[in-house]
Amino acid sequence: MVSRDVDTYFSADDFVGSHLEDVPLLYEQIPLTGGVHRGVWQNCGFYDTFIANENGVHSLEHGAVWITYDPDLPQDDIDDLESKAEEQFVLVSPYPGMDAPVVASVWGKQILLDGVHDDRLDPFIRQYKKNVNNSPEVNGICWSGVGLTTDTVPQQEPYIRTEGTDPVGGISATDATATAAALLPSAATPAASPVATPEASPEATPGSSPVG
């Protein structure tokens, strides 16, 4: 079972529907597994440029699997990941500085992978994608959101909360300590630019409707 290698950070009930706009957010897990986020989700599909963490987290809330990869991977490996993003509710984007070349995340859970061809990746997708136990808004969609990218490198070091306090998932930089604020990229709220990205068709999941 792939679940034996999966790290669990919090439950599907934590931080649900917690939207915070216009301020940079810091997260406790890098790459991210959930928490406070923007009100609009990232369209699922493949990206070869960084996306905003705050939008990607909202996609996790809707049951997406977010696969992040080392941007220095061989192009053939990146192409293989792009093919996985053709599947609905799979989001793939580069993320430098990770502890593994490929990481797969859902809301509250994450697995570190040895590479693109790690035989645990596909079982992880099958087991956790749109799983009601780790998809707080399981009827949410992963299209008709935003398809924006940014040149700003995403948060590289995790936010460290005070020992013994409850998980925060994501926290506004204005509420964090001065030390934590130093974790932010130099451009805290970069201007994003549109990118063409594959989107799942609404017809593929009849009856779905946007969920905040």
Side-chain angles (χ1 to χ4, degrees):
M1 288 288 291
V2 68
S3 57
R4 70 177 182 273
D5 299 322
V6 173
D7 293 317
T8 299
Y9 295 101
F10 45 80
S11 77
D13 297 327
D14 291 327
F15 322 118
V16 178
S18 299
H19 298 166
L20 194 57
E21 309 294 340
D22 303 325
V23 294
L25 301 177
L26 294 168
Y27 291 91
E28 291 188 87
Q29 288 82 43
I30 302 296
L32 293 68
T33 60
V36 180
H37 49 273
R38 297 291 188 246
V40 180
W41 53 90
Q42 189 79 22
N43 292 331
C44 285
F46 175 81
Y47 297 83
D48 60 7
T49 310
F50 308 132
I51 64 173
N53 283 343
E54 297 89 344
N55 299 116
V57 167
H58 198 151
S59 301
L60 296 180
E61 188 180 44
H62 288 191
V65 176
W66 187 359
I67 302 171
T68 45
Y69 65 90
D70 183 339
D72 292 329
L73 284 178
Q75 186 59 49
D76 286 349
D77 285 355
I78 295 174
D79 291 343
D80 286 343
L81 286 177
E82 184 173 3
S83 68
K84 291 190 182 298
E86 295 173 2
E87 183 177 343
Q88 290 188 25
F89 289 94
V90 174
L91 172 63
V92 179
S93 69
Y95 207 114
M98 301 187 299
D99 291 334
V102 178
V103 177
S105 306
V106 293
W107 189 268
K109 299 180 184 294
Q110 187 173 85
I111 188 169
L112 305 184
L113 301 166
D114 296 330
V116 172
H117 304 295
D118 191 312
D119 60 10
R120 296 170 295 171
L121 177 55
D122 288 341
F124 181 90
I125 295 172
R126 289 194 300 269
Q127 183 168 342
Y128 293 108
K129 188 184 75 169
K130 297 297 280 185
N131 184 325
V132 67
N133 295 315
N134 55 259
S135 303
E137 295 182 351
V138 72
N139 291 322
I141 60 177
C142 208
W143 57 89
S144 300
V146 295
L148 305 177
T149 63
T150 176
D151 292 330
T152 301
V153 176
Q155 181 185 341
Q156 294 289 282
E157 298 293 334
Y159 171 72
I160 307 298
R161 58 190 161 89
T162 304
E163 185 175 356
T165 58
D166 293 333
V168 296
I171 187 170
S172 164
T174 58
D175 294 332
T177 64
T179 301
L183 300 175
L184 288 169
S186 56
T189 51
S193 56
V195 62
T197 176
E199 297 182 11
S201 167
E203 287 76 14
T205 52
S208 295
S209 58
V211 177

